């Protein structure tokens, strides 16, 4: 599909959407038109008689009600605030080279340049219309040159959309690669400037915003009933124009892609490969590195710089360093920013809000952390907090301290206490919905007194959780207790660790975004995962306190334990063996080989 063919298809679909709008208006005006005819007939002594009088008395109030309802729907559609992506705005003063590159691209593509540039903490780029009055005032007159209007700009000219760029692209890509990736995106400003397409998009966005307003929870029965009707009309119109709107956007994308073929075509193939790499590194950095910090009230302040480190490490492990060396010697796209560090920090805070639901700004309970401080401020603290929670749960279960001649007389927390409790080779594994044969409650006698899992909403039952089937009874019970304890902490978060479910501060932006996080990274951890994490944390604390190990940061795997400066990568299988089989021998051998003393007390969080 060529440029002209794609544009023509988009315009045809836009006209179809506008026809649906016109039909809806005609339906709303039809009763009023009939009522006017009846009233005019009465005034002219033409439509007289009891039948016409009855029709006038019935239809005139009905027409008024329909007009009022239509006016109400139109008012909600016009005033409803369309969804706007949370972004970090980038002014031309903060990135003159970036604006210059975008303007040059628009000139080569012969399309209006975007009215502004913003960054999103994600691996994607798009154009976003922010001309609705609720989105703020339009760009100042001096920015009209950026929009491609030049000195002949007039107020009647439509404002070009905002270019939203994925922030990881700026740090990982070279300038030429970013230019090639943005070319088809910027080319979309051409079809977007067509009046029919712009009007159709405004109509669809208004309906979508009105449906969202109608679905918001309200207590007042009158407003709830009125908005229910508005929502029904909005959803009906959305269903009617959904296919046409989708085909319109497809035509716009086809026209933009075809127009961009003439710009940096050869480089675009390489650039698309970098898009995939950036996405893989960004996803891994968020889930493995940023998420543990967010969960404890800290947010890494240089996430985009971390993407470069993660992908560089990935290239080294995959033996791709030679191929990347020449590429990394070129100018990075973040050089197009005047202060990359400030922009990275703002994007990192926004990422924490979007993917975890943290507060909008820094505070004593939500503070930034630099990568150099990450091992001590996040990894060490995370392990000790998890270890403290593990022993706190064991205390509530009445599990006795470790026994034996090497055990501390003070009853201080030790790794041996955990190993002795979980090591039970003779205990049958649990299965979903069944209890082990040696205990009617599904709990081994080694658990001590009061082993019935607490009834906390959201906490898994060790006998009904599919994830815990195949583990020993002590492991299943302890996992359920840990889940219950974590559920209690999230229901009543401590000041040091804000809950990701806590509502954001009330503001226009928060109301616009809705509930945060918008895109949670991972589902809640299962009982098996929680137990494995806490047992691993306890092992790491023992290693740090008795064998001189140190916390570390792996750019691809997150928190890691370093012994003599080397990463330990074989701990997880031994932890799972203890959880699933009750066999602590592999883990004890591993501890002995590394000089870790499980019977020695450890310092908790």
């Amino acid at each position: 599909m060529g440029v002209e063919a794609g544009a023509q298809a988009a315009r045809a679909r836009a006209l179809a959407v506008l026809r649906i709008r016109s039909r809806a208006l005609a339906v709303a005006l039809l009763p009023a038109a009939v009522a006017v005819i009846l009233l005019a007939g009465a005034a002219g002594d033409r439509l007289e008689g009891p039948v016409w009088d009855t029709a006038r008395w019935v239809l005139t109030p009905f027409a008024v009600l329909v007009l009022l309802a239509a006016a109400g729907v139109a008012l909600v559609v016009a005033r409803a605030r369309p969804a706007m992506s949370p972004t970090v705005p980038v002014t031309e003063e903060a990135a003159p080279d970036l604006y210059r590159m975008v303007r040059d691209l628009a000139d080569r593509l012969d399309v209006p340049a975007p009215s502004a540039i913003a960054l999103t903490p994600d691996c994607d780029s798009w154009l976003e219309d922010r001309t609705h009055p609720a989105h703020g005032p339009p760009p100042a007159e001096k920015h009209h040159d950026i929009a491609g209007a030049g000195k002949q700009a007039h107020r009647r000219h439509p404002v070009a959309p905002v270019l939203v760029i994925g922030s990881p692209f700026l740090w990982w890509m070279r300038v030429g690669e970013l230019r090639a990736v943005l070319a088809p995106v910027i080319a979309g400003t051409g079809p977007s400037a067509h009046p029919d397409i712009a009007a159709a998009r405004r109509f669809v966005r208004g309906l979508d915003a009105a449906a969202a307003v109608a679905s918001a929870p309200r207590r007042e029965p009158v407003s709830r009933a009125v908005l229910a009707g508005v929502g029904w009309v909005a959803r009906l119109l959305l269903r009617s124009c959904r296919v046409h709107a989708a085909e319109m956007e497809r035509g716009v994308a086809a026209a933009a892609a075809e127009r961009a073929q003439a710009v940096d075509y050869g480089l675009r193939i390489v650039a698309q490969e970098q898009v995939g790499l950036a996405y893989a590194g960004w996803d891994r950095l968020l889930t493995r590195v940023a998420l543990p910090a967010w969960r404890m009230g800290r947010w890494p302040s240089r996430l985009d710089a971390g993407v470069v480190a993660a992908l560089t490490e990935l290239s080294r492990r995959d033996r791709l360093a030679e191929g990347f060396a020449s590429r990394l010697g070129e100018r990075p796209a973040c050089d197009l920013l005047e202060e990359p560090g400030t922009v990275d920090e703002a994007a990192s805070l926004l990422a924490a809000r979007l993917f975890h639901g943290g507060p909008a700004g820094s505070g004593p309970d939500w503070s930034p952390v630099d990568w150099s401080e990450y091992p001590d401020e996040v990894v060490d603290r995370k392990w000790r907090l998890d270890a403290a929670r593990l022993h706190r749960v064991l205390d509530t279960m009445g599990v006795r301290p470790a026994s034996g001649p090497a055990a501390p007389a003070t009853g201080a927390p030790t790794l041996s206490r955990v190993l002795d409790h979980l090591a039970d080779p003779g205990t049958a594994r649990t299965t979903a919905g069944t209890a082990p044969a040696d205990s009617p409650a599904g709990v081994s006698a080694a658990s001590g007194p009061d082993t019935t899992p607490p009834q906390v909403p959201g906490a898994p039952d060790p006998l009904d959780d599919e994830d815990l089937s195949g583990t020993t009874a002590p492991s299943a019970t302890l996992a359920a207790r840990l889940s219950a304890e974590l559920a209690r902490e999230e229901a009543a978060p401590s000041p040091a660790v804000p809950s990701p479910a806590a509502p954001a501060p009330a503001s226009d932006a928060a109301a616009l975004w809705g509930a945060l996080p918008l895109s949670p990274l991972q589902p809640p951890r299962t009982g098996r995962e929680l137990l494995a994490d806490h047992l691993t944390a306890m092992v790491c604390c023992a290693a740090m306190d008795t064998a001189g190990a140190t916390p570390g940061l792996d750019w691809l795997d997150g928190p890691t334990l370093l012994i003599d400066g080397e990463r330990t990568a074989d701990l997880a299988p031994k932890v799972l063996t203890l959880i699933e089989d009750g066999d602590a021998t592999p883990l004890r051998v591993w501890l002995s080989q590394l000089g870790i003393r499980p019977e020695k007390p450890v310092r908790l969080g």
Side-chain angles (χ1 to χ4, degrees), residues 519-580:
S519 305
L521 291 178
Q522 292 179 333
R525 288 173 289 179
T526 63
R528 184 194 298 260
E529 292 171 341
L530 281 175
L531 180 56
D533 289 346
H534 284 72
L535 181 55
T536 300
M538 189 61 204
V539 172
C540 293
C541 289
M544 292 187 293
D545 292 347
T546 68
T550 56
L553 167 61
D554 186 280
W555 290 110
L556 297 176
D557 296 327
T560 186
L561 182 67
L562 303 178
I563 298 182
D564 295 330
E566 296 293 330
R567 176 191 175 197
T568 57
D570 53 351
L571 174 59
K574 298 165 179 60
V575 169
L576 288 179
T577 299
L578 176 58
I579 292 174
E580 296 174 353

Side-chain angles (χ1 to χ4, degrees), residues 295-296 381-397 417 478 481-490 494 497 525 530 533-534 537-538 604-605:
R295 282 173 172 163
M296 59 189 307
R381 185 177 169 215
K382 172 187 180 300
W383 286 341
R384 296 193 186 279
L385 286 175
D386 285 353
R389 183 182 299 110
L390 177 61
H391 280 278
R392 189 163 59 248
V393 169
L394 291 176
D395 290 340
T396 61
M397 294 172 60
R417 181 194 190 193
L478 184 56
R481 292 279 186 155
L482 286 171
S483 299
E485 179 69 14
L486 200 60
R488 268 191 291 265
E489 293 178 6
E490 292 179 352
S494 64
V497 185
R525 288 173 289 179
L530 281 175
D533 289 346
H534 284 72
M538 189 61 204
L604 302 181

